[in-house]
Amino acid sequence: MQLVTNSNILIVGLGLMGGSYARALHRVGFHVNAIAHKQEDIDYAIQEGFIDKGAAFPDPELIGSAELIIFALYPHVFKEWIAANQQHFRPGTLLTDVTGVKRCIVYDIQDMLRDDVEYISAHPMAGREVLGVRNSDDRIFRAANYIVVPTERNTPEAIETCKSLGRVMGFARITELTPEKHDEMIAFVSQLTHCIAVALMTCNDADHIGTYTGDSFRDLTRIANINEDMWTELFLDNIDALIHQMDLFSAEFGRLRWMLASRDVDGMKEMMRKSTARRIALDQGK
């Protein structure tokens, strides 16, 4: 399909990310409907004016009228939803998602999907440390990265439509990765960082830390305010890649500890210089 402003878009899952997608797409003129778990979330989104219609159940009419369907669901729920409701898709419907892991879902969904619809996966690298549609905010997409995750079964047209979706929502950089490379990189840049933040918050039981912490501790632990259900599922769905990255981090942290214990000043300074150079490159978008 070609993404034009009169396209009929359906968002399935109206939480933080689904709501933020709805805000971004409705703001630039798309017709946006939604299916959510709770009627109160649908009512809120209609009242706030960023969806046109909605239902708290898999409404065949809403599903069948959609040209593009965006899934903002947990991985296992996503697969279950497709299996139970794909009979309502109109021929030619394009599906995409926001899911944080890919190998465990992309191939399964492409295998189960009808031949007359197409699924092209994507991952918006944006979020907040709060939950729910009431905390949705499409400003989180500004200056953020958007990863398109095609397979050999995707058409060039679907890939380009998915990239166009990222552009119209305001993402700064749009890239492509295979499902395997995506999960490898996400294990490092996202899942490992959440593991570190959680471990940092739980490794010391000191009371009243808020009265004497500085910005460095707050910055490092910002993502420790975590959705335990979602992130546990994501960790387990990418367990091999995540454990590999945790082992690499443990080895490097151990090397720094050894340098400190042995008073290896030159070694510590060299490690810090390497860290600084890589951080500067990151800030420059490299």
Side-chain angles (χ1 to χ4, degrees), residues 11 14 28 43 47 75 81 115-116 143 172-173 200 204 243 263:
I11 295 175
L14 200 60
V28 295
D43 295 341
Q47 179 182 337
W81 201 99
D115 292 337
D116 60 350
R173 289 170 296 275
L200 188 55
N204 189 310
I243 286 178
R263 292 173 170 76

Side-chain angles (χ1 to χ4, degrees), residues 75 97-102 105 122-123 182-183 186 191 234 238:
D97 67 331
V98 306
T99 313
V101 287
K102 299 305 180 187
I105 61 167
H123 186 183
H182 169 276
D183 286 1
I186 292 306
Q191 295 181 336
L234 294 175
N238 202 26

Side-chain angles (χ1 to χ4, degrees), residues 25-64:
L25 293 169
H26 200 276
R27 176 174 48 79
V28 295
F30 289 96
H31 183 81
V32 181
N33 297 328
I35 292 174
H37 182 62
K38 299 177 181 178
Q39 184 62 45
E40 62 190 68
D41 291 339
I42 296 295
D43 295 341
Y44 172 81
I46 292 174
Q47 179 182 337
E48 292 295 310
F50 58 88
I51 68 170
D52 298 291
K53 297 179 183 177
F57 62 95
D59 186 335
E61 182 179 349
L62 290 180
I63 297 169

Side-chain angles (χ1 to χ4, degrees), residues 61-109:
E61 182 179 349
L62 290 180
I63 297 169
S65 66
E67 300 166 79
L68 172 66
I69 304 180
I70 301 165
F71 290 89
L73 302 172
Y74 288 11
H76 78 279
V77 177
F78 184 15
K79 290 194 282 190
E80 292 168 358
W81 201 99
I82 293 290
N85 298 291
Q86 67 168 310
Q87 71 270 20
H88 302 307
F89 297 152
R90 61 190 278 181
T93 301
L94 184 64
L95 316 178
T96 190
D97 67 331
V98 306
T99 313
V101 287
K102 299 305 180 187
R103 289 174 300 164
C104 68
I105 61 167
V106 171
Y107 301 114
D108 287 348
I109 289 177

